[in-house]
Amino acid sequence: MDRLHISRFTTRVLTVWSLLLALTLITLTVTHIVTPNPISFHALSLDGFLASLLMGLRVIVLFLVFSTIPMRWPVTLLTFLSLTIGIAALSQFIGVVMQGHALVSLSYLAFIAVFCAFLYTAVYLTSETIEGNAWGEPGNTDQRYLVCWLKSLLTNLRRFSVPLLVTLLLFSVLLPLTNHVTF
C-alpha cells in the first residue's frame, strides 16, 4: 500500500485485521451461525440506478470531505473502512455461492470487484489530494488553505476522473441488479 502513503506498520496492522476479519466471517458463514442475505436478480429500473448513483456520489463526497484534513490518518481510516466493507462483501459472496445459482454468483462477484475498485479509486483520490496539497510550503505561504486544497483536488480529479466515473457507473448498474435499492 505504498501508493496510498500508508506506513509499513499500518499496512501490517491492516493486513492482520483483514485476515482475522475474513477468517471470522468465513467461519461464521460456513458453519451457518450467520445467515447471509439472500441475493437474487432484480430488474434494473431508473429508480434503482439513480438511488445507487446517489449512494456512490455520497461516498465520493464523504471521501472528499476527509481530503480537507491535511494529515495521513484520514487515508488510514478510509482504507480500514473500505477493507472492512470489501471483506464483509466477500464473506457474503460465500453465502451466495452456497445458494447454488452460478449466474447470480458471477454477477455478485462482479459487483464486489467493481465496488472494491470504486472504493480504492476514491481512497487513492483522497490520498493524492492530501499529498498534493502544497499549503504551508515555502512558495505557498501567501495562499489560503482551501485554495491549495482546491487546486490539488482539481488536479487529481482530472487525473482520476475516468476510473472514478467508470467504476461509479458500473457500481450504479450492478448494485440494483443484485440488491433491492430505492430512495
Side-chain angles (χ1 to χ4, degrees), residues 63-171:
F63 281 36
L64 293 180
V65 166
F66 271 84
S67 74
T68 60
I69 303 169
M71 299 174 197
R72 289 186 180 180
W73 68 263
V75 175
T76 305
L77 177 67
L78 293 174
T79 304
F80 171 77
L81 293 173
S82 298
L83 282 172
T84 303
I85 291 169
I87 290 170
L90 281 174
S91 72
Q92 172 75 24
F93 175 69
I94 292 170
V96 172
V97 169
M98 292 170 82
Q99 290 175 355
H101 303 290
L103 194 55
V104 174
S105 298
L106 287 175
S107 63
Y108 192 69
L109 182 62
F111 164 71
I112 291 170
V114 166
F115 185 58
C116 289
F118 174 65
L119 288 177
Y120 178 78
T121 305
V123 169
Y124 193 54
L125 173 67
T126 302
S127 174
E128 290 298 309
T129 302
I130 291 171
E131 289 296 318
N133 188 345
W135 184 73
E137 291 184 1
N140 292 330
T141 54
D142 58 337
Q143 292 184 350
R144 302 276 187 231
Y145 176 75
L146 288 178
V147 172
C148 292
W149 171 79
L150 188 61
K151 285 180 183 178
S152 176
L153 176 65
L154 292 176
T155 301
N156 288 308
L157 275 177
R158 274 188 232 114
R159 286 179 50 205
F160 301 114
S161 62
V162 173
L164 194 62
L165 286 175
V166 168
T167 55
L168 177 62
L169 288 176
L170 287 174
F171 167 76

Side-chain angles (χ1 to χ4, degrees), residues 12 19 41 72 151-152 173:
R12 289 181 182 150
L19 290 173
F41 279 123
R72 289 186 180 180
K151 285 180 183 178
S152 176
V173 169

